Amino acid sequence: MDQATAVQLLVVPVIAIAVAALARRRGWPAPLLLVVAGLVLSPLMPAYELDPEIVLLVLLPPLLYSAAIDSSYMRLKTVLRPVILLSVGLVLFSTLVIGWVTHLLLPDLHPAAAFALGAIVAPPDAVAAVAVARRLGLPRKVVTILVGESLFNDATALTAYRVAVAAAVGSGITWVGAVGQFVYAAAGGVVIGVVLAWLLSRMLRMIRDALVENTILLLVPFAVYLAAEAVHASGVVSVVIVGLVVGHRLPRSGFGTRLLSDAIWRVMDFFLESVVFALIGLQMWPIVTALDWSEPWKPLGMALAVFAVALLVRIVWVPPATYLPRLLSARVRRREPEPPPWQNVVIVSWAGMRGVVSLAAAFALPPDLPGRETLVFLTFTVVIGTLLVQGPVVPLADPAAAGLHRAGGLRRQPRRGRRPAGGRLGGPGPAGRTGGRRRRRRPPGGRGAAQAAGRAPYAHRLGAPGRRHRVRGGGDAQRRLPAAAPGDAGGRARGPGPDARRAPHRRRGAPPDHERARLRRGHPRPRLTGLPIAGCPLRSADETADSVEMWKFQF
């Protein structure tokens, strides 16, 4: 690799990180700004065609794995029906409708190639869905549905894409063979994911080193994806299954493992998401220059038609898929007494941004496929259109403006320190109560009254014998509760003896119960010498370990 190529490889990440940093500083949506920056810089940079192998083997597995770790396996079980209807039913429905419309617009194109385009643009992007879920204060159930759909719809779309491409190049595949291939890919991905997740869990139980555990977890998504694809199963499903299992067992790991895992995957998500959205915009110039623009109205008209169909298909599918099961099944009505608010249905219907997986699948079309340049251009317009049209509109669904007060609707928490007129913190209240902040009532007497009565100052804060209080600090400077008198009722003597260590309330820096149990069983305490924790300066091993514990309990 020469120096010029190395510089070109560094330019895109550097620009992407700089634009993302500016967006974070200004509070702007980073994905949209990165896409626009890529579109602007595309004519100024050397032409680079997105390599589908890099996307499917390098970018997609860690992003899916990170999203699966952050997801909840238990919450996904509660929304299994809508997730399946969206990730399987909607993807197949979109593939058929978009493929049929494309075949009407391009009658000379092979029907299988038209349905391949439908499979390419059918699945919403996992990265965009997670970004929207993080930015909006959506209800937890809506977020779980959007993230769960984005985790599994890629497997359905890529399997349908492979079947359509095989039919387009004349591989002689039948409908029965296509259905069998789809079932094998999905079931094989689940089986491989479950087996590898079980093996990984057994291996991680024998490792008590936070650095080694996180290093292994970094390699897991790539290894799982390659293992599933080697047997022609769905690598996407396998990665998602392993990520869900790892995320489910992660709270039982050591605090060092959890702390490092959170920091590592946050950095990984930020870097990969920035590069992915910048690469989407940079594809404009090579895609546009590859088309014949002798009749510009023709490709632009087809692009607008396919983009409109891609939007309408989701809007048409989501409301019936939400309310029809309640009308047809009494079991669903018993399980969900209240129907979903229509505002949630609208947001799910509109949140269908496409992303880099669709572009990678378009670039992976065979070079000798007739109409390949047109299919890539149509895919690019759908991806850019959904990101620039749907992306800015979804955050405009302001929960406060909607006036939602029902349970399960979009609700914004009131700002701290404010209450509506008539409450305790402002305005004239009921029964002539005046506004203003309510002061805490102090106990009778004070420092002087306590000394005059022969008591220790502020003894009422330490409490009478028998009351339980948190003990802060440590060492000789730690304040201890006074011992109970022989005739006092309740409580245990709390002097400087051995019982003083057995305070009912654990102090802030003490390890939790399961960590103390591990220490009693003889497991070594993690030593993170020289590791700066959340901006803390470099400390000794014991001080750094205590800082890790303190930061954990502050979270």
Side-chain angles (χ1 to χ4, degrees):
M1 180 185 297
D2 56 351
Q3 187 175 2
T5 306
V7 171
Q8 291 179 2
L9 291 177
L10 288 176
V11 167
V12 174
V14 169
I15 294 177
I17 293 173
V19 173
L22 176 63
R24 287 172 57 87
R25 185 177 182 87
R26 297 293 183 180
W28 298 335
L32 305 182
L33 192 64
L34 287 166
V35 171
V36 173
L39 293 174
V40 173
L41 297 177
S42 180
L44 307 177
M45 299 187 66
Y48 170 72
E49 185 173 305
L50 191 65
D51 189 357
E53 297 296 331
I54 292 180
V55 174
L56 298 178
L57 297 179
V58 178
L59 300 178
L60 184 60
L63 289 174
L64 288 175
Y65 180 75
S66 176
I69 287 180
D70 292 338
S71 303
S72 172
Y73 165 74
M74 303 304 296
R75 289 204 299 265
L76 280 176
K77 288 178 60 178
T78 62
V79 295
L80 187 61
R81 176 179 51 83
V83 166
I84 292 178
L85 288 175
L86 291 174
S87 60
V88 179
L90 178 58
V91 170
L92 296 179
F93 180 67
S94 302
T95 301
L96 295 177
V97 175
I98 297 175
W100 178 67
V101 173
T102 305
H103 181 61
L104 293 180
L105 296 174
L106 296 172
D108 297 335
L109 188 67
H110 195 285
F115 287 108
L117 175 65
I120 289 172
V121 299
D125 185 48
V127 180
V130 173
V132 169
R134 290 174 180 172
R135 186 173 180 81
L136 288 176
L138 300 179
R140 179 177 296 179
K141 188 173 183 179
V142 176
V143 174
T144 306
I145 291 174
L146 291 177
V147 175
E149 176 201 3
S150 64
L151 290 177
F152 293 100
N153 58 10
D154 288 334
T156 306
L158 292 178
T159 304
Y161 163 80
R162 292 171 183 172
V163 174
V165 170
V169 297
S171 298
I173 189 171
T174 62
W175 285 103
V176 177
V179 173
Q181 183 177 353
F182 177 81
V183 173
Y184 170 78
V190 172
V191 171
I192 293 176
V194 170
V195 172
L196 293 181
W198 181 80
L199 293 176
L200 180 65
S201 301
R202 299 285 294 181
M203 181 176 61
L204 292 178
R205 289 178 185 175
M206 300 182 292
I207 302 175
R208 297 298 179 181
D209 193 319
L211 294 177
V212 176
E213 285 188 63
N214 283 279
T215 304
I216 294 174
L217 293 178
L218 276 176
L219 301 177
V220 164
F222 307 101
V224 172
Y225 187 88
L226 291 176
E229 292 293 330
V231 296
H232 304 288
S234 176
V236 173
V237 174
S238 299
V239 171
V240 170
I241 294 297
V242 174
L244 290 174
V245 174
V246 171
H248 186 68
R249 68 166 297 276
L250 196 59
R252 289 178 285 180
S253 304
F255 61 87
T257 301
R258 296 192 299 271
L259 187 69
L260 291 179
S261 176
D262 180 73
I264 289 172
W265 287 108
R266 288 186 65 183
V267 173
M268 185 75 72
D269 290 342
F270 175 74
F271 176 73
L272 293 180
E273 290 175 6
S274 303
V275 173
V276 161
F277 286 110
L279 286 177
I280 291 175
L282 291 174
Q283 302 307 305
M284 181 194 70
W285 193 249
I287 291 175
V288 171
T289 54
L291 279 178
D292 182 14
W293 292 95
S294 58
E295 299 177 351
W297 59 269
K298 187 175 181 180
L300 292 178
M302 290 188 299
L304 290 177
V306 174
F307 169 66
V309 172
L311 291 183
L312 293 176
V313 165
R314 186 177 181 90
I315 296 175
V316 170
W317 175 271
V318 172
T322 303
Y323 295 109
L324 276 182
R326 293 184 51 84
L327 298 177
L328 302 178
S329 175
R331 181 180 179 184
V332 175
R333 291 194 297 269
R334 288 194 302 267
R335 185 183 303 173
E336 302 173 3
E338 292 291 332
W342 65 268
Q343 294 87 353
N344 297 354
V345 178
V346 170
I347 290 181
V348 174
S349 302
W350 189 254
M353 290 76 69
R354 274 64 171 180
V356 69
V357 176
S358 297
L359 275 182
F363 282 118
L365 290 170
D368 55 348
L369 182 68
R372 180 181 183 273
E373 293 78 11
T374 303
L375 296 179
V376 173
F377 173 73
L378 294 178
T379 303
F380 178 77
T381 54
V382 171
V383 172
I384 295 297
T386 54
L387 287 175
L388 297 182
V389 173
Q390 290 182 316
V393 174
V394 173
L396 295 181
D398 190 5
L404 305 178
H405 304 288
R406 295 174 54 188
L410 306 182
R411 294 174 294 177
R412 176 174 292 175
Q413 296 296 333
R415 300 180 66 179
R416 184 177 299 176
R418 292 186 180 182
R419 290 194 181 184
R424 293 182 178 179
L425 300 184
R433 183 181 297 172
T434 59
R437 288 187 175 274
R438 184 179 181 182
R439 295 186 177 182
R440 181 180 298 177
R441 180 180 299 177
R442 294 185 178 181
R447 184 186 183 98
Q451 292 178 349
R455 302 193 308 268
Y458 303 106
H460 61 278
R461 295 188 180 180
L462 292 178
R467 292 187 59 186
R468 297 184 176 184
H469 296 272
R470 182 186 299 272
V471 182
R472 297 182 181 272
D476 296 333
Q478 167 176 302
R479 294 187 299 175
R480 302 189 183 276
L481 299 179
D488 291 337
R492 183 170 56 242
R494 308 187 62 82
D499 286 340
R501 301 179 184 176
R502 302 175 59 185
H505 287 272
R506 175 170 47 84
R507 64 185 177 88
R508 191 178 184 87
D513 295 336
H514 65 274
E515 294 290 348
R516 286 186 290 182
R518 287 181 55 194
L519 296 178
R520 286 197 298 267
R521 290 196 298 265
H523 295 292
R525 186 174 185 175
R527 300 179 67 82
L528 306 175
T529 307
L531 178 65
I533 303 298
C536 298
L538 296 178
R539 304 177 179 181
S540 63
D542 295 334
E543 291 177 346
T544 306
D546 292 336
S547 299
V548 173
E549 295 170 354
M550 291 287 289
W551 275 99
K552 176 201 169 187
F553 290 111
Q554 288 178 2
F555 293 156

mmCIF file of all heavy atoms in Angstrom, residues 485-518:
data_model
loop_
_atom_site.group_PDB
_atom_site.id
_atom_site.type_symbol
_atom_site.label_atom_id
_atom_site.label_comp_id
_atom_site.label_asym_id
_atom_site.label_seq_id
_atom_site.Cartn_x
_atom_site.Cartn_y
_atom_site.Cartn_z
ATOM 1 N N ALA A 485 -27.677 2.114 74.922
ATOM 2 C CA ALA A 485 -27.594 1.917 76.367
ATOM 3 C C ALA A 485 -28.149 0.551 76.713
ATOM 4 O O ALA A 485 -28.938 -0.025 75.982
ATOM 5 C CB ALA A 485 -28.387 3.018 77.075
ATOM 6 N N PRO A 486 -27.710 -0.002 77.878
ATOM 7 C CA PRO A 486 -28.192 -1.349 78.235
ATOM 8 C C PRO A 486 -29.685 -1.442 78.341
ATOM 9 O O PRO A 486 -30.271 -2.466 78.017
ATOM 10 C CB PRO A 486 -27.501 -1.620 79.581
ATOM 11 C CG PRO A 486 -26.315 -0.705 79.592
ATOM 12 C CD PRO A 486 -26.714 0.505 78.833
ATOM 13 N N GLY A 487 -30.350 -0.384 78.760
ATOM 14 C CA GLY A 487 -31.796 -0.464 78.935
ATOM 15 C C GLY A 487 -32.598 -0.031 77.725
ATOM 16 O O GLY A 487 -33.815 -0.053 77.784
ATOM 17 N N ASP A 488 -31.917 0.431 76.674
ATOM 18 C CA ASP A 488 -32.655 0.908 75.504
ATOM 19 C C ASP A 488 -33.218 -0.258 74.733
ATOM 20 O O ASP A 488 -32.619 -1.318 74.655
ATOM 21 C CB ASP A 488 -31.742 1.733 74.595
ATOM 22 C CG ASP A 488 -31.370 3.050 75.254
ATOM 23 O OD1 ASP A 488 -32.118 3.497 76.153
ATOM 24 O OD2 ASP A 488 -30.346 3.633 74.861
ATOM 25 N N ALA A 489 -34.347 -0.027 74.107
ATOM 26 C CA ALA A 489 -35.003 -1.083 73.330
ATOM 27 C C ALA A 489 -34.685 -0.883 71.870
ATOM 28 O O ALA A 489 -34.647 0.227 71.376
ATOM 29 C CB ALA A 489 -36.522 -1.025 73.544
ATOM 30 N N GLY A 490 -34.537 -2.030 71.212
ATOM 31 C CA GLY A 490 -34.339 -1.983 69.749
ATOM 32 C C GLY A 490 -32.899 -1.714 69.405
ATOM 33 O O GLY A 490 -32.162 -1.040 70.102
ATOM 34 N N GLY A 491 -32.479 -2.313 68.340
ATOM 35 C CA GLY A 491 -31.160 -2.024 67.809
ATOM 36 C C GLY A 491 -30.103 -2.930 68.359
ATOM 37 O O GLY A 491 -30.295 -3.694 69.304
ATOM 38 N N ARG A 492 -28.928 -2.792 67.829
ATOM 39 C CA ARG A 492 -27.769 -3.579 68.217
ATOM 40 C C ARG A 492 -26.677 -2.603 68.590
ATOM 41 O O ARG A 492 -26.581 -1.505 68.041
ATOM 42 C CB ARG A 492 -27.332 -4.467 67.041
ATOM 43 C CG ARG A 492 -26.172 -5.367 67.381
ATOM 44 C CD ARG A 492 -25.930 -6.397 66.266
ATOM 45 N NE ARG A 492 -25.723 -5.770 64.982
ATOM 46 C CZ ARG A 492 -26.516 -5.941 63.932
ATOM 47 N NH1 ARG A 492 -27.589 -6.694 64.046
ATOM 48 N NH2 ARG A 492 -26.278 -5.355 62.786
ATOM 49 N N ALA A 493 -25.858 -2.981 69.561
ATOM 50 C CA ALA A 493 -24.779 -2.104 69.992
ATOM 51 C C ALA A 493 -23.895 -1.776 68.800
ATOM 52 O O ALA A 493 -23.477 -2.654 68.059
ATOM 53 C CB ALA A 493 -23.955 -2.787 71.091
ATOM 54 N N ARG A 494 -23.615 -0.479 68.581
ATOM 55 C CA ARG A 494 -22.890 -0.042 67.417
ATOM 56 C C ARG A 494 -21.691 0.791 67.851
ATOM 57 O O ARG A 494 -21.563 1.960 67.489
ATOM 58 C CB ARG A 494 -23.786 0.765 66.495
ATOM 59 C CG ARG A 494 -25.082 0.048 66.157
ATOM 60 C CD ARG A 494 -25.864 0.786 65.119
ATOM 61 N NE ARG A 494 -25.129 0.885 63.869
ATOM 62 C CZ ARG A 494 -25.065 -0.068 62.958
ATOM 63 N NH1 ARG A 494 -25.693 -1.216 63.172
ATOM 64 N NH2 ARG A 494 -24.378 0.081 61.860
ATOM 65 N N GLY A 495 -20.842 0.223 68.655
ATOM 66 C CA GLY A 495 -19.654 0.916 69.082
ATOM 67 C C GLY A 495 -18.497 0.624 68.163
ATOM 68 O O GLY A 495 -18.639 0.156 67.049
ATOM 69 N N PRO A 496 -17.293 0.851 68.600
ATOM 70 C CA PRO A 496 -16.117 0.600 67.760
ATOM 71 C C PRO A 496 -15.732 -0.862 67.681
ATOM 72 O O PRO A 496 -14.669 -1.178 67.166
ATOM 73 C CB PRO A 496 -15.027 1.422 68.453
ATOM 74 C CG PRO A 496 -15.477 1.490 69.875
ATOM 75 C CD PRO A 496 -16.964 1.531 69.863
ATOM 76 N N GLY A 497 -16.553 -1.776 68.189
ATOM 77 C CA GLY A 497 -16.237 -3.192 68.163
ATOM 78 C C GLY A 497 -16.466 -3.814 66.803
ATOM 79 O O GLY A 497 -16.692 -3.130 65.809
ATOM 80 N N PRO A 498 -16.429 -5.124 66.735
ATOM 81 C CA PRO A 498 -16.580 -5.794 65.433
ATOM 82 C C PRO A 498 -17.955 -5.605 64.816
ATOM 83 O O PRO A 498 -18.097 -5.687 63.602
ATOM 84 C CB PRO A 498 -16.326 -7.275 65.766
ATOM 85 C CG PRO A 498 -16.625 -7.392 67.236
ATOM 86 C CD PRO A 498 -16.230 -6.081 67.833
ATOM 87 N N ASP A 499 -19.003 -5.369 65.652
ATOM 88 C CA ASP A 499 -20.325 -5.177 65.071
ATOM 89 C C ASP A 499 -20.440 -3.879 64.308
ATOM 90 O O ASP A 499 -21.402 -3.674 63.570
ATOM 91 C CB ASP A 499 -21.397 -5.202 66.168
ATOM 92 C CG ASP A 499 -21.632 -6.614 66.674
ATOM 93 O OD1 ASP A 499 -21.279 -7.540 65.930
ATOM 94 O OD2 ASP A 499 -22.150 -6.762 67.794
ATOM 95 N N ALA A 500 -19.476 -2.962 64.496
ATOM 96 C CA ALA A 500 -19.569 -1.683 63.792
ATOM 97 C C ALA A 500 -19.405 -1.865 62.297
ATOM 98 O O ALA A 500 -19.837 -1.052 61.513
ATOM 99 C CB ALA A 500 -18.499 -0.716 64.309
ATOM 100 N N ARG A 501 -18.734 -2.907 61.874
ATOM 101 C CA ARG A 501 -18.556 -3.125 60.439
ATOM 102 C C ARG A 501 -19.851 -3.599 59.780
ATOM 103 O O ARG A 501 -19.974 -3.551 58.572
ATOM 104 C CB ARG A 501 -17.482 -4.176 60.207
ATOM 105 C CG ARG A 501 -16.134 -3.805 60.800
ATOM 106 C CD ARG A 501 -15.142 -4.942 60.543
ATOM 107 N NE ARG A 501 -13.872 -4.690 61.168
ATOM 108 C CZ ARG A 501 -12.861 -5.555 61.155
ATOM 109 N NH1 ARG A 501 -13.019 -6.725 60.556
ATOM 110 N NH2 ARG A 501 -11.720 -5.257 61.742
ATOM 111 N N ARG A 502 -20.770 -4.113 60.557
ATOM 112 C CA ARG A 502 -21.962 -4.741 59.995
ATOM 113 C C ARG A 502 -23.099 -3.737 59.912
ATOM 114 O O ARG A 502 -24.196 -3.965 60.400
ATOM 115 C CB ARG A 502 -22.359 -5.940 60.828
ATOM 116 C CG ARG A 502 -21.262 -6.978 60.936
ATOM 117 C CD ARG A 502 -21.657 -8.092 61.864
ATOM 118 N NE ARG A 502 -22.867 -8.755 61.412
ATOM 119 C CZ ARG A 502 -23.482 -9.704 62.102
ATOM 120 N NH1 ARG A 502 -22.999 -10.075 63.272
ATOM 121 N NH2 ARG A 502 -24.579 -10.257 61.630
ATOM 122 N N ALA A 503 -22.814 -2.588 59.297
ATOM 123 C CA ALA A 503 -23.876 -1.592 59.128
ATOM 124 C C ALA A 503 -24.900 -2.130 58.153
ATOM 125 O O ALA A 503 -24.551 -2.699 57.124
ATOM 126 C CB ALA A 503 -23.293 -0.277 58.600
ATOM 127 N N PRO A 504 -26.178 -1.975 58.467
ATOM 128 C CA PRO A 504 -27.213 -2.525 57.574
ATOM 129 C C PRO A 504 -27.181 -1.902 56.195
ATOM 130 O O PRO A 504 -27.587 -2.513 55.231
ATOM 131 C CB PRO A 504 -28.523 -2.204 58.297
ATOM 132 C CG PRO A 504 -28.142 -1.801 59.676
ATOM 133 C CD PRO A 504 -26.744 -1.359 59.658
ATOM 134 N N HIS A 505 -26.713 -0.640 56.070
ATOM 135 C CA HIS A 505 -26.640 0.026 54.781
ATOM 136 C C HIS A 505 -25.200 -0.010 54.279
ATOM 137 O O HIS A 505 -24.286 0.416 54.980
ATOM 138 C CB HIS A 505 -27.109 1.474 54.889
ATOM 139 C CG HIS A 505 -28.590 1.594 55.051
ATOM 140 N ND1 HIS A 505 -29.454 1.668 53.985
ATOM 141 C CD2 HIS A 505 -29.358 1.624 56.168
ATOM 142 C CE1 HIS A 505 -30.696 1.743 54.433
ATOM 143 N NE2 HIS A 505 -30.658 1.725 55.751
ATOM 144 N N ARG A 506 -25.029 -0.515 53.084
ATOM 145 C CA ARG A 506 -23.682 -0.577 52.506
ATOM 146 C C ARG A 506 -23.241 0.824 52.124
ATOM 147 O O ARG A 506 -23.980 1.593 51.551
ATOM 148 C CB ARG A 506 -23.720 -1.487 51.270
ATOM 149 C CG ARG A 506 -22.434 -1.536 50.517
ATOM 150 C CD ARG A 506 -22.499 -2.646 49.471
ATOM 151 N NE ARG A 506 -23.731 -2.596 48.707
ATOM 152 C CZ ARG A 506 -23.886 -1.808 47.652
ATOM 153 N NH1 ARG A 506 -22.919 -0.988 47.296
ATOM 154 N NH2 ARG A 506 -25.033 -1.828 46.976
ATOM 155 N N ARG A 507 -21.993 1.174 52.467
ATOM 156 C CA ARG A 507 -21.505 2.498 52.108
ATOM 157 C C ARG A 507 -21.320 2.588 50.599
ATOM 158 O O ARG A 507 -21.287 1.596 49.889
ATOM 159 C CB ARG A 507 -20.198 2.807 52.837
ATOM 160 C CG ARG A 507 -19.020 1.909 52.484
ATOM 161 C CD ARG A 507 -17.818 2.232 53.352
ATOM 162 N NE ARG A 507 -16.695 1.358 53.096
ATOM 163 C CZ ARG A 507 -15.772 1.574 52.184
ATOM 164 N NH1 ARG A 507 -15.853 2.653 51.420
ATOM 165 N NH2 ARG A 507 -14.767 0.739 52.008
ATOM 166 N N ARG A 508 -21.161 3.774 50.106
ATOM 167 C CA ARG A 508 -21.213 4.034 48.673
ATOM 168 C C ARG A 508 -20.108 3.320 47.913
ATOM 169 O O ARG A 508 -20.293 2.883 46.788
ATOM 170 C CB ARG A 508 -21.118 5.535 48.432
ATOM 171 C CG ARG A 508 -21.433 5.952 47.016
ATOM 172 C CD ARG A 508 -21.349 7.458 46.899
ATOM 173 N NE ARG A 508 -21.747 7.902 45.581
ATOM 174 C CZ ARG A 508 -22.977 8.164 45.214
ATOM 175 N NH1 ARG A 508 -23.941 8.003 46.083
ATOM 176 N NH2 ARG A 508 -23.269 8.570 43.994
ATOM 177 N N GLY A 509 -18.933 3.197 48.476
ATOM 178 C CA GLY A 509 -17.820 2.606 47.753
ATOM 179 C C GLY A 509 -17.675 1.119 47.942
ATOM 180 O O GLY A 509 -16.751 0.523 47.404
ATOM 181 N N ALA A 510 -18.555 0.484 48.705
ATOM 182 C CA ALA A 510 -18.423 -0.944 48.970
ATOM 183 C C ALA A 510 -18.929 -1.752 47.786
ATOM 184 O O ALA A 510 -19.818 -1.328 47.054
ATOM 185 C CB ALA A 510 -19.206 -1.317 50.222
ATOM 186 N N PRO A 511 -18.340 -2.928 47.544
ATOM 187 C CA PRO A 511 -18.820 -3.753 46.434
ATOM 188 C C PRO A 511 -20.183 -4.338 46.733
ATOM 189 O O PRO A 511 -20.578 -4.456 47.884
ATOM 190 C CB PRO A 511 -17.751 -4.854 46.339
ATOM 191 C CG PRO A 511 -17.177 -4.931 47.705
ATOM 192 C CD PRO A 511 -17.226 -3.540 48.256
ATOM 193 N N PRO A 512 -20.954 -4.698 45.715
ATOM 194 C CA PRO A 512 -22.276 -5.295 45.949
ATOM 195 C C PRO A 512 -22.151 -6.682 46.546
ATOM 196 O O PRO A 512 -21.060 -7.223 46.707
ATOM 197 C CB PRO A 512 -22.888 -5.333 44.544
ATOM 198 C CG PRO A 512 -21.714 -5.319 43.625
ATOM 199 C CD PRO A 512 -20.653 -4.535 44.305
ATOM 200 N N ASP A 513 -23.320 -7.264 46.846
ATOM 201 C CA ASP A 513 -23.317 -8.539 47.556
ATOM 202 C C ASP A 513 -22.656 -9.642 46.738
ATOM 203 O O ASP A 513 -21.870 -10.433 47.272
ATOM 204 C CB ASP A 513 -24.760 -8.932 47.890
ATOM 205 C CG ASP A 513 -25.386 -7.944 48.861
ATOM 206 O OD1 ASP A 513 -24.619 -7.292 49.587
ATOM 207 O OD2 ASP A 513 -26.617 -7.844 48.882
ATOM 208 N N HIS A 514 -22.971 -9.714 45.405
ATOM 209 C CA HIS A 514 -22.390 -10.811 44.639
ATOM 210 C C HIS A 514 -20.897 -10.640 44.462
ATOM 211 O O HIS A 514 -20.148 -11.615 44.371
ATOM 212 C CB HIS A 514 -23.086 -10.914 43.275
ATOM 213 C CG HIS A 514 -22.878 -9.739 42.398
ATOM 214 N ND1 HIS A 514 -23.674 -8.619 42.475
ATOM 215 C CD2 HIS A 514 -21.972 -9.508 41.422
ATOM 216 C CE1 HIS A 514 -23.282 -7.734 41.585
ATOM 217 N NE2 HIS A 514 -22.254 -8.245 40.932
ATOM 218 N N GLU A 515 -20.399 -9.367 44.457
ATOM 219 C CA GLU A 515 -18.954 -9.168 44.371
ATOM 220 C C GLU A 515 -18.272 -9.562 45.683
ATOM 221 O O GLU A 515 -17.186 -10.145 45.673
ATOM 222 C CB GLU A 515 -18.658 -7.704 44.042
ATOM 223 C CG GLU A 515 -19.122 -7.258 42.665
ATOM 224 C CD GLU A 515 -18.282 -7.881 41.567
ATOM 225 O OE1 GLU A 515 -17.227 -8.454 41.879
ATOM 226 O OE2 GLU A 515 -18.711 -7.824 40.422
ATOM 227 N N ARG A 516 -18.914 -9.245 46.815
ATOM 228 C CA ARG A 516 -18.322 -9.660 48.093
ATOM 229 C C ARG A 516 -18.321 -11.173 48.239
ATOM 230 O O ARG A 516 -17.395 -11.753 48.798
ATOM 231 C CB ARG A 516 -19.107 -9.016 49.232
ATOM 232 C CG ARG A 516 -18.823 -7.531 49.371
ATOM 233 C CD ARG A 516 -19.496 -6.940 50.572
ATOM 234 N NE ARG A 516 -20.940 -6.889 50.397
ATOM 235 C CZ ARG A 516 -21.785 -6.386 51.278
ATOM 236 N NH1 ARG A 516 -21.334 -5.897 52.415
ATOM 237 N NH2 ARG A 516 -23.085 -6.377 51.040
ATOM 238 N N ALA A 517 -19.369 -11.810 47.688
ATOM 239 C CA ALA A 517 -19.377 -13.271 47.725
ATOM 240 C C ALA A 517 -18.235 -13.841 46.891
ATOM 241 O O ALA A 517 -17.608 -14.835 47.265
ATOM 242 C CB ALA A 517 -20.726 -13.791 47.215
ATOM 243 N N ARG A 518 -17.967 -13.224 45.756
ATOM 244 C CA ARG A 518 -16.834 -13.690 44.935
ATOM 245 C C ARG A 518 -15.516 -13.516 45.672
ATOM 246 O O ARG A 518 -14.637 -14.373 45.604
ATOM 247 C CB ARG A 518 -16.795 -12.910 43.626
ATOM 248 C CG ARG A 518 -17.887 -13.289 42.638
ATOM 249 C CD ARG A 518 -17.768 -12.497 41.374
ATOM 250 N NE ARG A 518 -16.443 -12.638 40.813
ATOM 251 C CZ ARG A 518 -15.954 -11.863 39.849
ATOM 252 N NH1 ARG A 518 -16.686 -10.895 39.364
ATOM 253 N NH2 ARG A 518 -14.742 -12.062 39.376
#
